[in-house]
Amino acid sequence: MMVTLSEGAKRSLDDYLRQARTYLRGSRSVDADEIEQNITEHIENELEGEAEPVSYDVLDAVLKKLGSPQQWVPMEELPWWWKIIYRLRSGPEDWRLAYISLALFVAGLLTLPYAPVSIVLILAGFLTSRAAISEAGDIDKIKAQKWLLYPPLIVVYLFVLLALLTWPLALLIPLADVYERDFRESYHYFSNENDYWFVATPAILAGLGLWWSILAIVLLKPRRLLQVVFRPFAEKVRSKWALRLLLIGLVLMILSAGIGVLYYQDFI
Amino acid sequence: MYYDIVYFMDAKFFDNWTNQLRKGVLELCILKDIRNRKMYGYEIVRHLRKIEGLIISEGAIYPILSRLKRQGLVDTSIQESSEGPPRKYYKLTEEGEEMVSQMNAYWQAISGVTDSIEKG
């Protein structure tokens, strides 16, 4: 460039030419180097006679008249894989995050046999999706990007939801075993295999029912917490969902008590 | 609301239509511009920007020139310039010359057709 540019203008021009080069290299019908040379020559001619160093505003007016590379060669002319590379390298920040998120998620799925690597990749995809949604601010702004952003979110949220609902089983099953063993030792004629289920199952159901009831009561009020954790899917969470969970918890506890009463009645 | 949607659809249709038309016309104008004498890229832009509504983004001329060159319709030559670095000049090839004649004839015919439809 023969003309002297200000620092801001120089950065802007470098960025513009880099974007144009990246975009045009995807098209087989044109010579990207030739076009870049012509564009540079065009800018030099347009800036001739301007006070040096040329300011950002003066250069920006020239670049605006030149237009964006997408206006020069229609996006449809580019192969699909080049569109992805272009959006990753020079697209708007929000699209870049969406593509990175999906790429990490897919890489996570492909490396499933190598569990630790896979988990790290899926979690990275999840965090990138959340970052993209936070960046967008308003969920309505992400539009088509949701097809790229939602897969890692759905997988992680389902896992978290399942863990949140069933984690007491990890404690209850061993506890039920201990309880069953104590019971067997106390009552020697406790020998039928089916008796295990009459002792252990009500204990597990009661514990699970109690946990779901507590969880439902907690979720009745601070729905904001749920909305933050499961964003953007919990935006429309209603109290009736928590009430349903409470109802299921209570039914489980009643069922457990019922089985217990029936069993002990026969047993004693 | 209804009128807003109709207006939006009309505007979008018109935009699409003018974009498609402009693309074809711009190619013809570039070829015609360099028909009689060789010109460098910026010179072509400067010339065509005078035609109102023809160029939306000036940068679009350069990929068209590059495509026309790849298609063998134009050729380039480097020439020294007294005002700065050497310039790349574009000129029509024989194939390009034939193409312009065909495009021109088609353009004349097609613009005549729209007139004759209106007259019934």
Side-chain angles (χ1 to χ4, degrees):
Chain A
M1 180 68 64
M2 308 272 282
V3 187
T4 312
L5 301 173
S6 69
E7 271 307 305
K10 196 172 177 320
R11 268 199 304 275
S12 172
L13 179 65
D14 288 345
D15 193 45
Y16 183 83
L17 291 176
R18 183 179 53 80
Q19 276 200 39
R21 201 180 310 128
T22 309
Y23 186 79
L24 295 168
R25 283 207 174 133
S27 173
R28 287 180 190 159
S29 61
V30 296
D31 179 348
D33 292 331
E34 183 186 18
I35 296 168
E36 189 183 345
Q37 200 186 339
N38 275 332
I39 293 288
T40 312
E41 194 182 305
H42 178 107
I43 295 167
E44 274 180 3
N45 278 299
E46 286 286 293
L47 295 179
E48 216 175 74
E50 293 288 346
E52 293 187 33
V54 174
S55 70
Y56 171 84
D57 289 338
V58 172
L59 175 74
D60 195 48
V62 175
L63 298 184
K64 276 201 175 109
K65 278 200 281 178
L66 272 169
S68 76
Q70 286 99 316
Q71 289 175 293
W72 307 342
V73 177
M75 200 62 133
E76 297 77 51
E77 283 187 22
L78 303 177
W80 65 269
W81 52 270
W82 190 260
K83 288 179 206 169
I84 295 175
I85 292 174
Y86 176 70
R87 279 178 176 152
L88 279 175
R89 290 182 64 179
S90 52
E93 193 65 36
D94 49 355
W95 271 99
R96 250 188 275 184
L97 284 175
Y99 277 110
I100 290 170
S101 153
L102 186 73
L104 287 168
F105 177 66
V106 171
L109 292 183
L110 292 174
T111 53
L112 269 181
Y114 314 98
V117 179
S118 167
I119 291 167
V120 169
L121 287 169
I122 290 174
L123 284 177
F126 167 78
L127 290 174
T128 315
S129 282
R130 285 295 303 256
I133 287 170
S134 298
E135 176 80 12
D138 185 358
I139 201 68
D140 293 331
K141 280 187 191 168
I142 60 173
K143 292 178 185 168
Q145 284 182 51
K146 63 184 169 196
W147 295 101
L148 306 173
L149 294 172
Y150 283 4
L153 293 181
I154 290 169
V155 167
V156 173
Y157 287 157
L158 279 178
F159 179 79
V160 170
L161 194 66
L162 205 66
L164 194 67
L165 289 173
T166 60
W167 75 265
L169 287 176
L171 285 178
L172 289 170
I173 291 172
L175 278 177
D177 280 345
V178 172
Y179 175 60
E180 183 258 337
R181 204 178 311 122
D182 287 350
F183 202 86
R184 191 189 290 272
E185 283 167 6
S186 306
Y187 300 94
H188 297 292
Y189 48 91
F190 179 72
S191 55
N192 189 338
E193 268 302 306
N194 290 332
D195 287 344
Y196 169 81
W197 298 105
F198 282 109
V199 176
T201 313
I204 292 171
L205 285 181
L208 207 58
L210 181 67
W211 165 243
W212 287 1
S213 303
I214 295 168
L215 191 65
I217 291 165
V218 170
L219 293 178
L220 266 175
K221 269 284 171 196
R223 270 182 293 152
R224 178 84 194 124
L225 176 73
L226 204 64
Q227 286 170 351
V228 170
V229 173
F230 291 102
R231 196 169 179 232
F233 302 118
E235 299 291 324
K236 289 172 185 169
V237 167
R238 298 282 175 270
S239 302
K240 61 181 179 188
W241 295 15
L243 284 172
R244 278 176 195 159
L245 187 63
L246 180 64
L247 190 68
I248 295 169
L250 290 174
V251 167
L252 282 183
M253 284 198 287
I254 292 166
L255 196 67
S256 153
I259 296 171
V261 167
L262 278 174
Y263 177 73
Y264 287 109
Q265 204 175 32
D266 288 349
F267 187 69
I268 295 164
Chain B
M1 177 71 177
Y2 171 77
Y3 291 107
D4 283 349
I5 292 169
V6 169
Y7 175 76
F8 174 73
M9 285 171 69
D10 283 351
K12 202 174 173 193
F13 176 84
F14 185 71
D15 276 354
N16 283 338
W17 182 75
T18 49
N19 276 339
Q20 286 173 35
L21 187 66
R22 193 185 296 120
K23 194 170 171 267
V25 173
L26 190 56
E27 282 170 1
L28 176 61
C29 288
I30 292 172
L31 289 170
K32 283 180 86 168
D33 220 17
I34 52 173
R35 194 175 197 180
N36 298 321
R37 65 184 181 99
K38 58 182 178 186
M39 292 168 87
Y40 59 94
Y42 180 68
E43 195 180 6
I44 300 169
V45 173
R46 220 173 41 191
H47 197 214
L48 294 179
R49 71 162 53 137
K50 289 175 194 161
I51 306 167
E52 203 179 327
L54 182 65
I55 305 174
I56 294 298
S57 56
E58 293 178 351
I61 304 261
Y62 301 113
I64 293 174
L65 283 170
S66 179
R67 194 180 296 119
L68 293 173
K69 188 181 165 188
R70 285 214 165 163
Q71 286 166 339
L73 301 176
V74 302
D75 200 6
T76 55
S77 59
I78 304 289
Q79 206 169 303
E80 290 298 324
S81 162
S82 56
E83 296 165 29
R87 282 175 174 151
K88 186 180 273 184
Y89 280 82
Y90 292 85
K91 64 170 183 181
L92 271 191
T93 59
E94 273 181 34
E95 208 182 335
E97 188 70 48
E98 270 175 41
M99 184 58 74
V100 176
S101 302
Q102 283 180 37
M103 286 167 82
N104 222 6
Y106 186 77
W107 176 253
Q108 298 294 333
I110 210 83
S111 57
V113 164
T114 54
D115 288 346
S116 65
I117 288 172
E118 256 186 12
K119 284 171 191 166

